[in-house]
C-alpha cells in the first residue's frame, strides 16, 4: 500500500543530529516529519548505549548552548545525568568534559521535547529511496510495516549518520576502507547490573588496571587493552565499552558479521571482568547495544570540507554555526589503539554552514556524522553534542530556506546565525 505525504521539512534519522534538526525546524515554524527506522530517538546514545556525551565545554568556557544545553540541563535537573571530567587516555594531563546520561531517561525526554515542539514522528520508517527533480531532492520514500510512504518535502535533512539520503541522491562522498584500516572500527557496549560501582572505579583509577587490561589483551583474552565506562550516578549499574571490530557499516552483510563478532567479544569481556576486575564479581549482563555503534562511514562532500588544521588551529569562520572543542579522536582497528590530537584548552573551532550543504545536490542539508569533513576533522566533530548542535543549525536553516524561498546553497549565513543566536546558540 502507498501513502502520500507533504511536509515542509523531512528529517531522516532520529539520532542527536536528527533530534536537533527536527526540534529546531519545528520551533522555527516548519511542519516537520521525523522518520526513524527504530522505535525511539537518540541514535548512538540510546540505540548503542553510548551514554557519555561530549562536550559542552572548552576548559571553563561554555561553547554549546541552544537545544543541547536545554536537553542536558533538563536531564541533570531530573537527576538523570551528570557532568564529569574525563582524562583522554592517550594524552596524559589532557581531559574533556562529558555529560553522562541515563539512556532511558534521554530517550523519554527527547521524544517528549520533539512532540511538544510539534514534530510529527514516524517510527519504524526506513529511508529506502530519494525523490528528485533534476539535481534537487524533493522528498523521499520510506518503508514502514503498513505502507510505503512517498513524502514530498521542501527541504530534506539527512541525519542518518551514514549519509544515506545524500548518497542515494548522487551527492559525492568520501569513505575509508575497512581493508586498509581507513575506517574507524565498530563497537558494542553493554549494561552490567549488580556491580559494586565504587570498587570498579577505585580499581580503574589504580595503576594495576591498565597493566591487567594490557596483559589480558596480549594473551588474546579481551579484544582491546583499554575501556570506557559510563555511569550517570548509578550505584549498582555500569555501561562498559570494550569491543572493537573492523567493519564497513554501509554494507548490510558486513554489518551483520560485525554485529555477531562484537557480541562474541562483549560476552568474552564480561566473563573476563567478573574474574579479574574487583566490583564485577556478582554482576550480570542486563542489555547490549540494540545495534553496534558506528563511528565512521560516508562523509558527504560539501561546499566546504573541515580539515585537521581548522580543528587544531581552532580557526573561526564567518559562517560558523556551532563551536567545538573535542580533540581529534580516531580509533585505529589495525593498531588496536586510539589516536588523539588535542585542541588548546579554552579555545574552540567553528563548523561552517557550508559543511552542511552538499556540493552538488540542492533541496538537501546534512547534519551529524556524515557532514563534510576530512577523516581527521570528523574524528573531532562526530561527538554527540556537536552532532546535535549541527542538527539544530540544519533545522533552523531548513525553516529559513522555506521562509525566504531559497535553496540551502543560497541561504545567507548571516540570517541563519541571527536565528541561531536568538535560540541560545553560542557562536563566539
Ligand atoms: C562505540 C562508539 C563510542 C562513541 N563514544 C562517544 C562518546 O563517548 N561521546 C560522544 O559524544 N560521542 C561518542 N561517539 C560518537 C557519536 O555517538 C556519534 O558520532 C553520533 O551519535 C552521531 O550522531 P548522528 O546523529 O550523526 O548519528 P547516529 O547517532 O548514528 O543516529 C543516526 C540515526 O539515524 C537512524 N537511521 C540511520 N539510517 C537510517 C535510514 N536509512 N532510515 C531511517 N533511519 C535511519 C538511526 O537508526 C539513528 O537513530 C561514539 C560512537 C561510537 C560508535
Amino acid at each position: 500500500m502507498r501513502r502520500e505525504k507533504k511536509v515542509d521539512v523531512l528529517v531522516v534519522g532520529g539520532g542527536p543530529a536528527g533530534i536537533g534538526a527536527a526540534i529546531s525546524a519545528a520551533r522555527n515554524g516548519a511542519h516537520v516529519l521525523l522518520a526513524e527506522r527504530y522505535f525511539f530517538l537518540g541514535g548512538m546514545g540510546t540505540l548503542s548505549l553510548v551514554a557519555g556525551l561530549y562536550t559542552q565545554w572548552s576548559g571553563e568556557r561554555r561553547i554549546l548552548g541552544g537545544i543541547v544545553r536545554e536537553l542536558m540541563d533538563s536531564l541533570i535537573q531530573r537527576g538523570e545525568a551528570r557532568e564529569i571530567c574525563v582524562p583522554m587516555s592517550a594524552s596524559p594531563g589532557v581531559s574533556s568534559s562529558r555529560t553522562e546520561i541515563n539512556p532511558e531517561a534521554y530517550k523519554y525526554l527527547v521524544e517528549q521535547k520533539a512532540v511538544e515542539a510539534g514534530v510529527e514522528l514516524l517510527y519504524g520508517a526506513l529511508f529506502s529511496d530519494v525523490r528528485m527533480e533534476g539535481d534537487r531532492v524533493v522528498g523521499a520514500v520510506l518503508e514502514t510495516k503498513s505502507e510505503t510512504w512517498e513524502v514530498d518535502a521542501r527541504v530534506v535533512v539527512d541525519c542518518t549518520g551514514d549519509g544515506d539520503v545524500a548518497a542515494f541522491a548522487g551527492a559525492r562522498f568520501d569513505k575509508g576502507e575497512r581493508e586498509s584500516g581507513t575506517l574507524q572500527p565498530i563497537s558494542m557496549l553493554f549494561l552490567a547490573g549488580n556491580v559494586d560501582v565504587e570498587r570498579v572505579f577505585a580499581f580503574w583509577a589504580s595503576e594495576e588496571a591498565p597493566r591487567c587490561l594490557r596483559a589480558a589483551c596480549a594473551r588474546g583474552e579481551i579484544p582491546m587493552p583499554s575501556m570506557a565506562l559510563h555511569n550517570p550516578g548509578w550505584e549498582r549499574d555500569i555501561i562498559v565499552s570494550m569491543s572493537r571490530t573492523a567493519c564497513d557499516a554501509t554494507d548490510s552483510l558486513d554489518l551483520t558479521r560485525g554485529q555477531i563478532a562484537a557480541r562474541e567479544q562483549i560476552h568474552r569481556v564480561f566473563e573476563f571482568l567478573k574474574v579479574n576486575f574487583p566490583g564485577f564479581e556478582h554482576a550480570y549482563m542486563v542489555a547490549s547495544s540494540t545495534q553496534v555503534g558506528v563511528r565512521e562511514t560516508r562523509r558527504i562532500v560539501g561546499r566546504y570540507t573541515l580539515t585537521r588544521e581548522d580543528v587544531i588551529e581552532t580557526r573561526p569562520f564567518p559562517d560558523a554555526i556551532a563551536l567545538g572543542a573535542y580533540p581529534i579522536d580516531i580509533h585505529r582497528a589495525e593498531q588496536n589503539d586510539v589516536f588523539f590530537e588535542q585542541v588548546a584548552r579554552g579555545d574552540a573551532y567553528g563548523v561552517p554552514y557550508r559543511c552542511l550543504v552538499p556540493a552538488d545536490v540542492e533541496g538537501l542539508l546534512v547534519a551529524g556524522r556524515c557532514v563534510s569533513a576530512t577523516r581527521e576533522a570528523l574524528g573531532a566533530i562526530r561527538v554527540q553534542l556537536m552532532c546535535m548542535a549541527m542538527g539544530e543549525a540544519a533545522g533552523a536553516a531548513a525553516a529559513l530556506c522555506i521562509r525566504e524561498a531559497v535553496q540551502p546553497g543560497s541561504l545567507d549565513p548571516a540570517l541563519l546565525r541571527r536565528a541561531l543566536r536568538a535560540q541560545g546558540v553560542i557562536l563566539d
Side-chain angles (χ1 to χ4, degrees), residues 220-301:
E221 288 173 26
I222 54 175
M224 55 191 281
S226 61
M227 68 173 173
L229 298 172
H230 296 302
N231 182 305
W234 297 324
E235 281 175 20
R236 305 295 302 171
D237 306 89
I238 205 157
I239 293 171
V240 179
S241 177
M242 205 203 298
S243 91
R244 183 177 279 165
T245 309
C247 178
D248 178 349
T250 59
D251 175 337
S252 295
L253 256 186
D254 204 25
L255 188 57
T256 304
R257 184 202 56 76
Q259 182 95 12
I260 294 166
R263 193 180 315 284
E264 187 276 327
Q265 288 185 358
I266 64 163
H267 282 272
R268 209 152 29 95
V269 163
F270 182 59
E271 291 309 317
F272 165 81
L273 291 175
K274 283 211 295 189
V275 175
N276 296 285
F277 223 92
F280 274 100
E281 298 87 347
H282 306 294
Y284 40 82
M285 195 184 289
V286 179
S288 59
S289 308
T290 303
Q291 184 216 282
V292 279
V294 178
R295 292 188 175 84
E296 181 184 351
T297 52
R298 299 186 188 101
R299 290 168 286 113
I300 306 306
V301 176

Side-chain angles (χ1 to χ4, degrees), residues 87-114:
M88 298 282 109
S89 50
S91 308
V94 175
S95 59
S96 193
S97 77
R98 78 177 180 219
T99 313
E100 295 278 287
I101 57 153
N102 172 349
E104 285 302 320
Y106 176 56
K107 190 185 276 181
Y108 179 42
L109 174 74
V110 293
E111 188 175 78
Q112 281 190 319
K113 287 281 183 184

Side-chain angles (χ1 to χ4, degrees), residues 290-349:
T290 303
Q291 184 216 282
V292 279
V294 178
R295 292 188 175 84
E296 181 184 351
T297 52
R298 299 186 188 101
R299 290 168 286 113
I300 306 306
V301 176
R303 304 228 166 164
Y304 183 79
T305 299
L306 197 74
T307 67
R308 170 193 167 273
E309 290 70 29
D310 294 334
V311 168
I312 296 306
E313 294 170 16
T314 55
R315 292 182 183 160
F317 289 93
D319 63 335
I321 45 81
L323 297 180
Y326 190 71
I328 292 173
D329 162 353
I330 299 181
H331 288 241
R332 300 189 288 198
E334 297 213 320
Q335 291 95 327
N336 205 1
D337 67 2
V338 186
F339 169 82
F340 278 101
E341 202 170 2
Q342 196 55 35
V343 173
R345 189 180 162 83
D347 276 357
Y349 43 83

Side-chain angles (χ1 to χ4, degrees), residues 8 12 17 35 38 44 70 80 95 136 148 159 179 187 228 276 291-292 307 309 338-339 349 361 370 410 419 425:
D8 293 330
V12 185
Y38 294 108
M44 294 290 112
E70 174 187 338
E80 299 287 8
S95 59
R136 187 158 64 93
T148 299
C159 296
E179 294 72 20
S187 297
N276 296 285
Q291 184 216 282
V292 279
T307 67
E309 290 70 29
V338 186
F339 169 82
Y349 43 83
V361 175
C370 53
S410 310
V425 171

Side-chain angles (χ1 to χ4, degrees), residues 2 12 20 35-36 70 74 87 128 137 142 148-149 156 175 182 185 194 223 293 322 343 351 377 401:
R2 299 204 163 256
V12 185
E36 163 58 47
E70 174 187 338
S74 176
S128 65
V137 174
L142 306 168
T148 299
W149 284 50
V156 177
K175 181 161 68 78
T182 51
N194 203 29
V343 173
V351 178
C401 285

